[in-house]
Amino acid sequence: MPKTIGIIGGGQLGQMMAISAQYMGHKVITLDPNPTCSAAKVSDAMIVADYDDVAALEQLAQQADLLTYEFENVSAQALTTVQPSVAIPQGLKLLTITQNRRLEKEFLQRIDIPIAPYQNITSPSDLPTHVEKVQYLKTVMFGYDGHGEVVLRSDTDLTAAKAMAQEINCVLEDQVTFDREISVIVAGNGQQYVTFPIAENEHRHSILHRTIAPARIDSTTAQTAKALALKIAHVLQLAGTMCIEMFLRADGTIYVNELAPRPHNSGHYTIEACDFSQFDLHIKGILGEPLSEPLLLRPAIMINVLGQHQASMAELRLAQPSWHIHDYGKSEAKENRKMGHVTILTEEIATTLATIKLSKIWD
C-alpha cells in the first residue's frame, strides 16, 4: 500500500530519498527551514520549520505514516516527543549514537570494532602541552566536512584547539596512516541486511572529492570490510541505509572511522551503477520490505560538483554526453558547497581519471 513518508531535512539527500519514494508510488512530506530547499521540488508537501521544532514535528507525525531523517544533526530529543505517535523505523538509538562522536566510539569499542586511539576532551586542560604527533581535535557534536575540527601538527595549533575545547566537548583522535579510505553502504529492514559494492574515496580539504566503485582492493580485504559493516548493522537492527567509513592501512588492517545513519555522498554512484540505489534500499528498508543484494552493473567514478565547479557544468554536459550530471537545484553557489555530482560509468578507471584531469574543472 502507498505510504506517506515524512523526511526531516530537505537537502540533496532528502531530495534523492523523495525521488526514490515517489517512483515507488509513495507520498513525501519534507520538513526543512528553507522553503526552497532541494527536496521542495520533489515533495508532495513542505513544512517549513527548524528540525527541533516540536510542534512542526508533531504536525509531520500526524500527516505521515512514518518518519526518516536525511542527516544526523536532527534533534533526537525533539523526535522523542513524537515517537509514541508515529513510526521512526531507523530508531533514536542509531541517531543518538551517530550524532555524538564520543558515544559512537564507545559503541564501536563495545562491539569490538577497531577504531583509532582517542581520548575525550572536556576542557582545554585535557589537551597535551606539546604536540608530539599529528592528532585531530573534533567537536563531539555537529561536525561535518571539516567543520568543527582542528588538526594538531605543531604547538602553534594548540591555540585554536584550546579555544574550541573551551566552548564544546571534543574528542582527540590519533592520526591513522592509511593506504586508502573506503566506505561500505549497508541497508537493512530490521531483520535482513545487504551491502553495496565497497567504494574508495578521496577527500580534498576534508570534503569528499571523488568515489571509485568498486574499490581497488583485494577480495580478502573486501570481505573483512563487509563483515565489519554487517556486524554493526546487525547489532543496531538497522532499518534503512547507513554508511560506514573505514581506513585501510597498507598491511591490510582496517579501522572504522565514522558512521552515517542515512544515505551518503560516497553512495551516489549507486543511482546509475547499481540495480538499486542506496536511496531505493533506504525507502524499502524503512518500510520493512524484503531487500535484494545490490548488483554493480558497471564500475563507476563519482565526483562532487562544488560551488566553484558549477559554472563548468553546462559546457561539460555538451562535451561529455555519456556522463551523468546531477544538479541539486540549490539557489546559491558558494565555494566548497555541494551543488551536485557527476557519475561516470566506465570499464577503464585509469583512462577516465585521466579524462577528468584533462577537463581541468577539478584542478
Side-chain angles (χ1 to χ4, degrees):
M1 293 291 293
K3 299 290 186 181
T4 298
I5 300 172
I7 300 178
I8 304 168
Q12 62 266 22
L13 298 178
Q15 179 190 54
M16 289 180 268
M17 279 185 197
I19 291 170
S20 285
Q22 297 277 10
Y23 278 152
M24 295 178 197
H26 306 297
K27 292 184 177 181
V28 170
I29 304 173
T30 297
L31 185 150
D32 194 275
N34 179 7
T36 62
C37 64
S38 298
K41 302 169 180 60
V42 292
S43 299
D44 293 280
M46 279 287 301
I47 296 176
V48 180
D50 290 333
Y51 307 122
D52 59 355
D53 186 326
V54 173
L57 288 170
E58 288 176 342
Q59 179 186 351
L60 182 64
Q62 291 168 5
Q63 297 178 17
D65 295 304
L66 69 160
L67 302 185
T68 186
Y69 41 81
E70 70 144 6
F71 71 131
E72 53 269 37
N73 289 334
V74 172
S75 171
Q77 183 176 359
L79 282 179
T80 301
T81 64
V82 301
Q83 190 177 28
S85 58
V86 67
I88 308 176
Q90 289 159 283
L92 300 187
K93 177 183 177 181
L94 174 61
L95 180 62
T96 301
I97 288 171
T98 55
Q99 67 183 198
N100 184 302
R101 283 194 172 98
R102 177 178 59 82
L103 295 181
E104 182 176 281
K105 291 178 183 299
E106 290 173 353
F107 163 73
L108 292 171
Q109 285 180 316
R110 279 198 306 273
I111 63 172
D112 295 322
I113 299 293
I115 63 173
Y118 78 99
Q119 64 185 96
N120 294 317
I121 305 295
T122 59
S123 73
S125 63
D126 294 331
L127 290 167
T129 56
H130 298 286
V131 175
E132 298 177 352
K133 57 185 175 181
V134 178
Q135 293 179 296
Y136 295 85
L137 183 71
K138 299 179 181 181
T139 57
V140 166
M141 304 279 286
F142 307 120
Y144 69 98
D145 288 349
H147 298 284
E149 177 179 298
V150 175
V151 184
L152 300 182
R153 293 189 175 91
S154 69
D155 288 355
T156 57
D157 299 315
L158 285 170
T159 300
K162 289 177 180 178
M164 191 166 80
Q166 183 69 44
E167 298 294 326
I168 190 169
N169 288 341
C170 303
V171 294
L172 185 63
E173 300 175 1
D174 286 2
Q175 182 187 50
V176 173
T177 302
F178 57 90
D179 184 57
R180 298 181 192 273
E181 180 185 299
I182 59 176
S183 58
V184 185
I185 306 290
V186 57
N189 60 15
Q191 296 179 317
Q192 175 197 9
Y193 310 99
V194 298
T195 59
F196 285 88
I198 297 171
E200 65 175 272
N201 305 313
E202 177 190 330
H203 286 76
R204 292 184 180 177
H205 309 295
S206 299
I207 301 171
L208 181 65
H209 169 55
R210 73 181 179 209
T211 295
I212 298 173
R216 294 169 291 182
I217 57 177
D218 61 64
S219 59
T220 300
T221 301
Q223 287 300 317
T224 301
K226 179 178 177 179
L228 289 172
L230 288 172
K231 180 177 182 178
I232 294 169
H234 275 274
V235 172
L236 291 169
Q237 296 183 298
L238 177 68
T241 297
M242 175 172 64
C243 175
I244 303 170
E245 297 179 353
M246 305 178 183
F247 293 143
L248 171 62
R249 301 191 66 176
D251 64 1
T253 305
I254 295 176
Y255 289 95
V256 169
N257 177 46
E258 195 169 78
L259 309 181
R262 34 73 181 177
H264 190 262
N265 195 171
S266 66
H268 289 347
Y269 78 90
T270 62
I271 297 173
E272 283 87 19
C274 295
D275 58 342
F276 288 96
S277 77
Q278 63 168 341
F279 302 98
D280 296 333
L281 293 198
H282 181 76
I283 297 301
K284 290 168 70 72
I286 62 175
L287 290 171
E289 296 181 5
L291 305 177
S292 64
E293 194 75 26
L295 297 176
L296 183 69
L297 304 177
R298 286 189 70 188
I301 299 171
M302 188 286 302
I303 186 165
N304 271 329
V305 176
L306 306 181
Q308 60 267 35
H309 309 135
Q310 193 177 31
S312 302
M313 288 304 103
E315 182 179 340
L316 185 67
R317 197 180 299 274
L318 298 176
Q320 298 289 352
S322 65
W323 293 10
H324 299 265
I325 300 174
H326 294 251
D327 188 323
Y328 302 152
K330 295 181 179 180
S331 58
E332 184 180 3
K334 298 179 181 179
E335 185 171 357
N336 291 335
R337 186 186 191 194
K338 294 173 184 173
M339 303 300 294
H341 71 268
V342 178
T343 300
I344 308 162
L345 303 181
T346 178
E347 299 292 343
E348 299 291 340
I349 294 295
T351 301
T352 302
L353 290 173
T355 302
I356 293 169
K357 187 173 183 179
L358 284 173
S359 75
K360 298 187 182 302
I361 294 172
W362 290 276
D363 286 351

